[in-house]
Amino acid sequence: DTAVSQTPKYLVTQMGNDKSIKCEQNLGHDTMYWYKQDSKKFLKIMFSYNNKELIINETVPNRFSPKSPDKAHLNLHINSLELGDSAVYFCASSQDSTTDTQYFGPGTRLTVL
Amino acid sequence: SQQGEEDPQALSIQEGENATMNCSYKTSINNLQWYRQNSGRGLVHLILIRSNEREKHSGRLRVTLDTSKKSSSLLITASRAADTASYFCATPQAAGNKLTFGGGTRVLVKP
């Protein structure tokens, strides 16, 4: 049983397009996150939601918009994709916003051509 | 800059040998965590050490924390080929449980 799942696993698209990545967790956690991992393997947090409410919003272009329809889902929508958006995007969850251990999804490799 | 920085960036050892990697951080922490990432996969939580702990063990893993030096080390004993992965240290920052990761140490265990 997959605890944190993401779809799609790979996404190849043209510059200027709009795309979405979906994330679901079946752990019953309250808090979910989006991270971006660049080509040099550096991981940076982008957003965090606790019970469907945004609690962390790092300096991310407003072309990125997270949406949490319920606490088990946190989707990431990206408008007007740019070459620099190419990266691996990881979703994660934790029991709540004060619990330290995070559980990561398998990642979505986004390639913008 | 990264809150945590791992050293070395890459490590190549023979199966059965021990692997040691270090992490330095800049600000005060409540805890420090180590994660493993296999190629093409997500991160897996390995171990968490709290700021009032100096050493912690989990199976073949041993983690130390020196808050006076703002550093931590991860030791993998009797390494196996399956330990080949990237290892990241991470520290939660401020509210919201935001994890700040180092750049990782790539470990290659040769059979």
Side-chain angles (χ1 to χ4, degrees), chain A residues 91-108:
Chain A
C91 176
S93 73
S94 64
Q95 191 167 342
D96 54 49
S97 61
T98 63
T99 304
D100 307 302
T101 301
Q102 294 183 19
Y103 296 81
F104 283 76
T108 295

Side-chain angles (χ1 to χ4, degrees), chain B residues 26-103:
Chain B
K26 295 183 172 64
T27 61
S28 296
I29 59 171
N30 290 326
N31 67 75
L32 185 142
Q33 303 170 42
W34 285 91
Y35 286 79
R36 183 187 72 227
Q37 183 180 30
N38 290 85
S39 181
R41 300 285 190 89
L43 281 79
V44 174
H45 182 264
L46 294 176
I47 196 165
L48 180 154
I49 186 165
R50 301 208 177 272
S51 58
N52 61 354
E53 297 176 307
R54 291 295 167 260
E55 189 171 311
K56 200 163 183 180
H57 296 252
S58 176
R60 293 183 296 111
L61 305 179
R62 181 173 80 98
V63 167
T64 63
L65 179 64
D66 187 336
T67 53
S68 67
K69 294 181 180 177
K70 291 188 169 58
S71 68
S72 174
S73 68
L74 171 67
L75 167 68
I76 306 172
T77 59
S79 63
R80 305 168 182 168
D83 294 328
T84 294
S86 290
Y87 292 82
F88 294 87
C89 67
T91 54
Q93 301 295 311
N97 198 23
K98 177 178 86 169
L99 279 181
T100 301
F101 285 85

